[in-house]
Amino acid sequence: LASASAVFYLFGATGDLARRKLFPALFSLYKEGKLAEDFAVVGLARRPRTDEQFRDDVYESIGEFSRYKSDDAELWNRFAEHFVYMSLDINNVEGFRELDRLSSQLDAKFNIPGNRLFYLALAPELFGPVSFNLRDGGLLESKGWHRVVIEKPFGYDLPSAQKLNDQINQVFREEEIYRIDHYLGKEMVQNIEVIRFANAFFEPLWNNKHIANVQITLSETVGVEERGGYYDKSGALRDMGQNHMLQMLTMIAMEPPSRLQGEDIRDEKVKVLRSLRQYATSEDVRTNVTRGQYAEGSWRGKALPGYRQEDSVNPESVTETYFAAKVFVDNFRWAGVPFYIRTGKRLPVKTTEVVIEFKNTGSVLFGQRHDLTPNLLVIRVNPMEGIYIKINAKEPGSDTGVQPVAMEFCQSCKIGLNTPEAYERLIYDAARGDSTYFTRWDEVSQAWAFVDRIASAWREESSDLQFYPAGSWGPEKADEMLAKDGYRWWPVN
Ligand code: BG6
């Protein structure tokens, strides 16, 4: 296993993402030998903190969120030695000069050849200023490579994303920029390629002759939690649709890449995004996209407040916490196949699932052809991981009775829920220079263009916003959308 020899700069080191995901990910990589001894982590945030206090934060975070425990004192002490903290005012280039001096010391101490990975877990408006100060503070002059990892949201719409990208591009080249979409780091999302391209069962059927529709569900039981301030300006379409959902759709729909390499895969993904049928009018958006907001409700017997009652949310907010859309990929393979995508907060289960519904055989041997349950291929991404197929089989003891049966591969049952976290994979990939599972600018911009069309129709007026009780499956209108096409959402489990 190649080790990732570099200094990691964590901007936003006192934030939630660092605590929940980034520290635990680094610890798992270390424990698994994917970070050898030649690395260092510099925590950066405004607040003053000593190295000791910072290490305590890291220790606590690992105790709470890591899939490995930190009870091996010897291991922990060796790991913690690599962590230092520096308080930094992002707008002051002097601090960056000091950071550069600190970096040289760390290079010498840990035998690092000047490789630098800047991880920006910050609000998007800070990406530009930080990039400029990294350059002006001399941090990009070391001998090794320089890469910048950027958290979502990458902008708010296409113009703001474009502006952000232009700023970052003044400092970093596209191949040095790693835009995170953590869904691409999930095991089962990466598995989509293998299932599709390594199985004689599926690839020949993977087109509009055999597939009736595709359903992608990302449901969450949580509400907006403490993120009302951010979320109320964002909403489900920007928070989940522009990135995670469209990225998953590209993995399902893309053509086989010429090689299994980053640029080739990303070339195919962007072609899918370019083929998305744009909604022509606002009316078109209203017919094909349902938006909802959770109202008061209950879940497992517990009463839940409505979205408008949440902290930092405008009491008259029309922000959507749910949306469902019917999307077409207008290319040769997918002509006429609807992709139904939906996501929401305060739904009854936490799950990410892709259902491929196949067309019926057209056989009248077993009653009317529509009596047969269609074959399904279900890819379960999270929290359960696995796949299953639903096929029709003879009902035991009957003459012509047919019943659907499931054949299942449950990955998480085999290895438990201890698969590598998305962030482990992504940090490791960035440190090795593999950008396959990061989003390229052309993908991001195409996705924004698609989403902006919907957002602009929604801005015109909000009477189509549907309220759904917290703890329910969202607005009925989303069910009607499928029913009109003769389909239904397959229940998730
Ligand atoms: C984030 C969104 O990108 O993804 C959150 O901002 C959402 O609103 C989260 O809760 C879901 O991620 P996961 O990995 O828990 O499914």
Side-chain angles (χ1 to χ4, degrees):
L1 290 175
S3 105
S5 171
V7 180
F8 296 81
Y9 301 81
L10 285 190
F11 289 82
T14 51
D16 214 40
L17 186 79
R19 201 166 65 88
R20 284 175 188 271
K21 302 286 182 190
L22 306 181
F23 300 145
L26 287 165
F27 186 64
S28 300
L29 290 175
Y30 187 69
K31 174 133 181 153
E32 291 180 355
K34 293 177 179 166
L35 287 176
E37 298 303 325
D38 49 353
F39 79 100
V41 176
V42 187
L44 296 156
R46 191 162 195 145
R47 156 176 349 161
R49 240 151 161 55
T50 63
D51 290 349
E52 272 323 303
Q53 284 171 323
F54 180 52
R55 288 170 191 165
D56 289 346
D57 294 344
V58 176
Y59 187 76
E60 266 174 38
S61 122
I62 289 165
E64 195 171 350
F65 298 108
S66 172
R67 63 193 181 92
Y68 289 123
K69 292 298 147 219
S70 49
D71 45 12
D72 175 345
E74 207 269 329
L75 179 81
W76 163 255
N77 286 333
R78 264 196 295 129
F79 176 67
E81 255 180 42
H82 297 258
F83 282 69
V84 296
Y85 182 85
M86 191 183 129
S87 148
L88 181 75
D89 170 2
I90 277 170
N91 297 308
N92 182 359
V93 69
E94 260 323 302
F96 285 78
R97 294 209 176 94
E98 190 189 329
L99 181 59
D100 187 41
R101 289 190 287 275
L102 171 66
S103 307
S104 305
Q105 292 165 12
L106 291 169
D107 282 353
K109 178 168 177 195
F110 293 107
N111 200 16
I112 298 167
N115 296 332
R116 296 180 172 180
L117 190 145
F118 306 101
Y119 197 114
L120 311 192
L122 298 169
E125 56 276 14
L126 300 173
F127 298 160
V130 168
S131 303
F132 297 143
N133 277 337
L134 285 172
R135 179 192 58 198
D136 301 343
L139 276 135
L140 306 181
E141 283 157 31
S142 63
K143 261 200 280 85
W145 48 253
H146 305 107
R147 294 178 192 141
V148 62
V149 178
I150 299 192
E151 265 300 327
K152 66 173 271 270
F154 197 85
Y156 174 81
D157 54 11
L158 182 55
S160 61
Q162 179 76 59
K163 194 168 146 213
L164 207 65
N165 203 52
D166 291 346
Q167 289 180 339
I168 300 168
N169 274 162
Q170 291 178 40
V171 179
F172 295 100
R173 295 190 311 273
E174 175 65 31
E175 51 292 6
E176 295 174 320
I177 305 173
Y178 290 73
R179 296 179 195 80
I180 292 253
D181 184 316
H182 78 281
Y183 267 66
L184 292 178
K186 291 189 191 276
E187 277 294 325
M188 288 307 292
V189 173
Q190 298 187 356
N191 203 349
I192 292 173
E193 281 171 357
V194 183
I195 293 166
R196 282 191 57 189
F197 302 132
N199 288 299
F201 280 141
F202 300 127
E203 189 46 30
L205 305 181
W206 211 260
N207 55 51
N208 61 0
K209 283 194 205 61
H210 300 287
I211 291 179
N213 70 75
V214 176
Q215 304 181 9
I216 304 177
T217 299
L218 271 73
S219 64
E220 296 190 279
T221 50
V222 291
V224 287
E225 316 293 285
E226 320 80 41
R227 297 162 76 222
Y230 150 76
Y231 195 88
D232 207 31
K233 292 196 202 73
S234 161
L237 178 66
R238 292 186 178 86
D239 186 51
M240 302 285 266
Q242 186 270 346
N243 36 66
H244 311 323
M245 302 198 78
L246 289 182
Q247 283 294 327
M248 289 190 29
L249 189 150
T250 62
M251 300 284 283
I252 297 288
M254 73 180 191
E255 294 299 313
S258 49
R259 292 169 306 173
L260 269 189
Q261 288 191 1
E263 292 312 307
D264 302 285
I265 293 173
R266 301 199 301 179
D267 286 347
E268 297 308 331
K269 285 166 60 198
V270 77
K271 284 188 209 159
V272 174
L273 293 166
R274 277 198 228 119
S275 309
L276 290 180
R277 186 185 302 171
Q278 301 287 334
Y279 302 113
T281 59
S282 300
E283 197 39 48
D284 211 12
V285 170
R286 274 184 265 281
T287 314
N288 291 297
V289 190
T290 299
R291 59 172 153 166
Q293 186 189 83
Y294 63 84
E296 279 174 35
S298 68
W299 187 69
R300 296 192 177 161
K302 193 171 146 242
L304 295 169
Y307 175 71
R308 289 176 174 184
Q309 283 100 52
E310 302 275 16
D311 282 349
S312 316
V313 168
N314 174 355
E316 286 165 22
S317 172
V318 293
T319 298
E320 79 289 354
T321 58
Y322 171 102
F323 83 92
K326 173 168 151 185
V327 176
F328 285 98
V329 179
D330 278 337
N331 64 14
F332 197 78
R333 184 186 289 266
W334 294 112
V337 179
F339 286 71
Y340 302 108
I341 62 179
R342 64 175 167 169
T343 185
K345 300 235 182 246
R346 287 278 187 238
L347 302 185
V349 276
K350 163 80 181 165
T351 191
T352 303
E353 244 185 49
V354 180
V355 180
I356 315 285
E357 176 176 335
F358 290 88
K359 291 184 174 170
N360 273 340
T361 54
S363 163
V364 287
L365 294 177
F366 305 101
Q368 299 295 315
R369 66 185 268 201
H370 56 256
D371 289 347
L372 284 182
T373 307
N375 290 157
L376 304 178
L377 163 65
V378 180
I379 303 174
R380 303 167 92 177
V381 173
N382 118 23
M384 295 291 282
E385 296 176 351
I387 59 175
Y388 67 89
I389 54 176
K390 275 227 164 134
I391 56 179
N392 289 312
K394 182 175 174 298
E395 199 179 314
S398 96
D399 284 341
T400 56
V402 175
Q403 64 175 9
V405 295
M407 292 171 67
E408 179 158 12
F409 163 61
C410 175
Q411 178 157 294
S412 38
C413 308
K414 279 218 158 122
I415 56 174
L417 286 170
N418 199 20
T419 54
E421 279 258 358
Y423 276 96
E424 292 170 36
R425 171 74 196 237
L426 296 174
I427 292 175
Y428 187 50
D429 283 355
R432 288 184 307 162
D434 182 349
S435 52
T436 310
Y437 295 113
F438 294 83
T439 54
R440 209 166 58 185
W441 168 244
D442 50 358
E443 298 176 64
V444 174
S445 57
Q446 287 291 336
W448 274 125
F450 181 75
V451 158
D452 282 359
R453 182 74 203 83
I454 303 173
S456 103
W458 283 353
R459 262 194 310 274
E460 287 166 18
E461 54 126 356
S462 58
S463 60
D464 61 310
L465 179 71
Q466 316 268 309
F467 294 91
Y468 61 95
S472 74
W473 268 110
E476 280 168 17
K477 200 172 155 210
D479 300 337
E480 289 157 17
M481 180 168 78
L482 272 71
K484 276 189 207 139
D485 297 341
Y487 300 128
R488 63 176 172 121
W489 294 105
W490 291 100
V492 300
N493 42 96

